Amino acid sequence: MARPPRSGGPAARSESRAVDLALAELERRYGLGRSLAAPGWVRERVLAILTGVAARLGVSPLAAAEQLPEDKRALEEIVGALRVGETRFYRDPIIWEAIISTVLPKLPPDLPIAGLSAGCSTGEEAYTLGMILASAGRRFSVLGVDRSTAAVEAAREAVYSAEAAEQLPPALVQRYCELKGGALHVCQKLRDVVSFEVCDLVHAVPSGGFQIIFFKNVLLYLAESAGDAVARRLAAELGPGGLLFSAASEAPRLCGAGLTPVRVNAQVTAFRAPGT
Ligand SMILES: C[S@@+](CC[C@H](N)C(=O)[O-])C[C@H]1O[C@@H](n2cnc3c(N)ncnc32)[C@H](O)[C@@H]1O
């Protein structure tokens, strides 16, 4: 029976080197942060995929890792396996409440609002923004973008588990969702104004004079320079009076990237472009 490599032995060192090489290539190509490499599950998942690729190619995992720059299929497989898509409707209610009570009243009533969910995962954030804007009686459009094709396809489907209804205020469920066949469906009139596109923010950000950008829980997966550049490029796409919202834990990084913090209320800080 094959014995697993002894930790610290030559085989384990070779595997560890293979994982390091793969992580370096992921950072170079996709801006993926090395901090992502800290949890053991990341290294295990990378090694599992490299082992599969190695078996397919008839080489060692280290050789497979060395060939990664030319093996887009394997790279995409690893990126997909490392994606953290956790999201939910009405996540961080204090932000939504601040938008309703403080942000929207300051935007001219006849101004059509353009919203962006940058790193939208399966769409809950973009649809929540749509529900909030529709409830406020605003004309609007919301765009959600994500690097993951599977996530964008799910967002376009707009079908969620029935339990997702518990995350939303009941009035929003009643107005914008239908519960049928044991699932929550976002209604068509909202789907008509919330659209989704596949987009890797490290390579391009949507252009558009946005009044509200959500760039939440994405930065932590990006390496410092790649993440800072994305944040600055997104902020540059804000229209007059526009604000970028992040998770509270990401605020120090956005300040470090040069974005200007804006106190929305006692609990919520948003951001504007550097120097504005
Ligand atoms: C944890 S989810 C956050 C979802 C949502 N923003 C929220 O806060 O609930 C992170 C999402 O960011 C996406 N993502 C990570 N890096 C990206 C990039 N470079 N371009 C576009 N999307 C990215 C991932 O695919 C994932 O769906």
Side-chain angles (χ1 to χ4, degrees), residues 4-264:
R6 283 220 313 272
S7 73
R13 279 200 297 277
S14 165
E15 285 180 352
S16 182
R17 169 99 187 107
V19 172
D20 286 340
L21 277 182
L23 291 170
E25 183 58 16
L26 290 173
E27 176 166 346
R28 196 185 66 77
R29 183 83 70 107
Y30 300 93
L32 271 183
R34 293 299 189 89
S35 57
L36 190 71
W41 69 265
V42 170
R43 296 189 71 85
E44 275 168 30
R45 231 173 258 188
V46 171
L47 182 58
I49 293 173
L50 282 177
T51 306
V53 173
R56 207 155 66 212
L57 300 176
V59 298
S60 70
L62 182 57
E66 283 163 351
Q67 290 174 35
L68 275 180
E70 282 79 49
D71 192 343
K72 188 143 195 287
R73 177 181 156 196
L75 276 170
E76 295 281 343
E77 211 180 316
I78 299 175
V79 170
L82 298 186
R83 189 178 86 86
V84 179
E86 188 195 335
T87 186
R88 53 190 176 274
F89 287 104
Y90 217 72
R91 190 176 192 179
D92 298 329
I94 54 169
I95 296 185
W96 299 109
E97 283 151 21
I99 290 175
I100 295 166
S101 64
T102 310
V103 177
L104 294 182
K106 287 188 188 147
L107 293 169
D110 51 348
L111 177 76
I113 294 177
L116 173 67
S117 167
C120 63
S121 191
T122 39
E124 289 87 332
E125 185 176 84
Y127 286 124
T128 303
L129 181 55
M131 291 179 200
I132 296 293
L133 295 172
S135 289
R138 304 297 303 235
R139 276 194 300 139
F140 71 94
S141 61
V142 174
L143 172 65
V145 298
D146 201 283
R147 184 175 54 202
S148 160
T149 305
V152 166
E153 279 167 4
R156 288 182 181 140
E157 286 270 307
V159 179
Y160 301 92
S161 73
E163 292 76 54
E166 291 160 21
Q167 300 157 359
L168 279 163
L172 295 183
V173 177
Q174 219 172 354
R175 283 180 79 174
Y176 303 111
C177 306
E178 283 174 82
L179 281 162
K180 53 183 183 191
L184 181 88
H185 296 244
V186 175
C187 71
Q188 190 59 47
K189 67 179 175 206
L190 202 66
R191 292 176 64 191
D192 289 345
V193 276
V194 180
S195 58
F196 296 93
E197 280 171 22
V198 175
C199 165
D200 187 332
L201 295 163
V202 170
H203 297 133
V205 304
S207 53
F210 297 102
Q211 280 69 43
I212 298 178
I213 295 181
F214 271 74
F215 180 47
K216 257 179 98 226
N217 303 302
V218 180
L219 200 50
L220 71 162
Y221 304 113
L222 298 177
E224 195 172 323
S225 60
D228 289 2
V230 172
R232 281 194 292 268
R233 274 190 240 128
L234 283 172
E237 296 301 332
L238 287 167
L243 291 172
L244 180 147
F245 292 87
S246 67
S249 59
E250 294 166 316
R253 259 190 85 179
L254 291 174
C255 289
L259 272 63
T260 306
V262 178
R263 206 61 190 261
V264 177

